Amino acid sequence: LKKMVGQWIAKDTTPSMTNQNLTLAAQLDLKSETLAIATRVLSSTDSPPGSKQISILMIGRFGDQGDLPLIEKLLQDQTSCGKVSVEQPPRQVDLQIRDIVLAAMLPMTGQNLHEYGYHSVQEFAPTVFQVGTLGFADEEARNLALKKWRQWRAEHPDA
């Protein structure tokens, strides 16, 4: 029954159902179906930021290093996902797609989010992290994290 539900959700391309389908597939621990939906969302040029966010995190949860290129190409995406609160220092900051991408890739490559400046990150079972906790304290912190990733990536091109 679980597999049948998974096949049904993976085939549903109704844009208004994408986030619900991703969440349901993740809750049922349907790795291949979750990855299929997330890949479809990220391959589309007109996917809304909310669907991109969840898709990126699902690839971080269910994907492996072979899936890195699918999300790594979004490290340049400065699309705003809205304002979020950060603790250090306490204030509202702009959360961007690239912030979520980096947060998803770090566990996939065995790295620690805190070492990259994600000081407010909170885990959340269905999507690995609560999206609203993935903001950087400021643009300088974001730029340092992205620079650190580029350095790590240059040292680990096959990862």
Side-chain angles (χ1 to χ4, degrees):
L1 182 58
K2 183 173 146 177
K3 190 67 173 171
M4 188 169 70
V5 169
Q7 290 172 345
W8 174 69
I9 13 184
K11 289 181 182 180
D12 183 2
T13 59
T14 310
S16 63
M17 293 301 296
T18 300
N19 294 355
Q20 292 88 340
N21 287 341
L22 278 165
T23 303
L24 179 58
Q27 288 173 335
L28 294 174
D29 205 32
L30 298 169
K31 178 180 177 175
S32 63
E33 291 83 354
T34 304
L35 288 173
I37 297 167
T39 300
R40 185 173 61 234
V41 168
L42 296 177
S43 298
S44 173
T45 57
D46 61 346
S47 294
S51 294
K52 282 184 179 180
Q53 291 174 43
I54 294 173
S55 296
I56 291 163
L57 290 172
M58 292 302 179
I59 289 173
R61 175 178 171 191
F62 290 104
D64 57 31
Q65 289 187 356
D67 297 306
L68 280 175
L70 180 62
I71 59 175
E72 189 172 23
K73 67 183 179 184
L74 297 171
L75 270 181
Q76 305 305 315
D77 191 337
Q78 297 181 30
T79 301
S80 177
C81 300
K83 299 287 184 188
V84 297
S85 296
V86 294
E87 296 173 2
Q88 299 179 9
R91 65 183 151 153
Q92 295 281 309
V93 298
D94 186 44
L95 178 66
Q96 298 178 1
I97 289 290
R98 61 186 177 163
D99 303 338
I100 298 166
V101 169
L102 183 58
M105 291 191 308
L106 294 176
M108 293 173 74
T109 57
Q111 298 184 74
N112 185 308
L113 275 76
H114 293 282
E115 293 175 7
Y116 277 78
Y118 289 99
H119 299 297
S120 301
V121 66
Q122 294 177 9
E123 293 184 10
F124 183 62
T127 58
V128 183
F129 306 113
Q130 288 186 8
V131 174
T133 66
L134 298 176
F136 287 101
D138 53 36
E139 190 65 24
E140 182 181 350
R142 176 184 288 122
N143 289 335
L144 286 172
L146 292 169
K147 180 180 178 182
K148 184 173 181 163
W149 170 261
R150 286 190 296 274
Q151 289 172 338
W152 183 90
R153 193 61 161 141
E155 295 168 7
H156 302 87
D158 296 329

